[in-house]
Amino acid sequence: MQLNEAISERLIELLKARGMTQYQLYMKSGVPKSTIGNVINCAYDSVKLRIIHEMCQGLNISISDFFNSPLFEESNLEP
């Protein structure tokens, strides 16, 4: 799995766990709806850490909580 796919899956997972929509995340984080959609749809080859940080603030979690998932284990990511 590519890193951008892991980020997309993790974001979807966190939104579902909180019962949040992309629009609600936009309202809480200030990250544009189009950017959130592009992250989820893997439209970017890479995602800036600043964007992940802002989304984490909207989700009320830390960056380390975001990356604390088996999705980000080296054995699951392509080089």
Side-chain angles (χ1 to χ4, degrees):
M1 167 181 310
Q2 296 288 326
L3 183 58
N4 64 338
E5 294 169 327
I7 291 170
S8 170
E9 284 191 33
R10 181 65 170 150
L11 181 55
I12 291 167
E13 184 179 276
L14 290 165
L15 287 171
K16 283 184 182 175
R18 286 161 177 70
M20 286 178 71
T21 64
Q22 292 179 37
Y23 180 78
Q24 289 169 319
L25 180 57
Y26 150 68
M27 292 299 291
K28 290 186 177 193
S29 68
V31 175
K33 292 177 290 186
S34 59
T35 300
I36 295 168
N38 286 336
V39 169
I40 286 176
N41 294 322
C42 298
Y44 302 131
D45 290 333
S46 62
V47 182
K48 290 183 180 182
L49 190 57
R50 178 184 58 80
I51 297 298
I52 294 171
H53 178 250
E54 289 173 2
M55 290 190 298
C56 286
Q57 289 177 321
L59 292 164
N60 201 30
I61 62 171
S62 68
I63 291 177
S64 59
D65 287 336
F66 184 88
F67 287 107
N68 185 19
S69 166
L71 291 168
F72 299 106
E73 291 178 7
E74 284 298 320
S75 59
N76 293 330
L77 295 172
E78 293 178 18

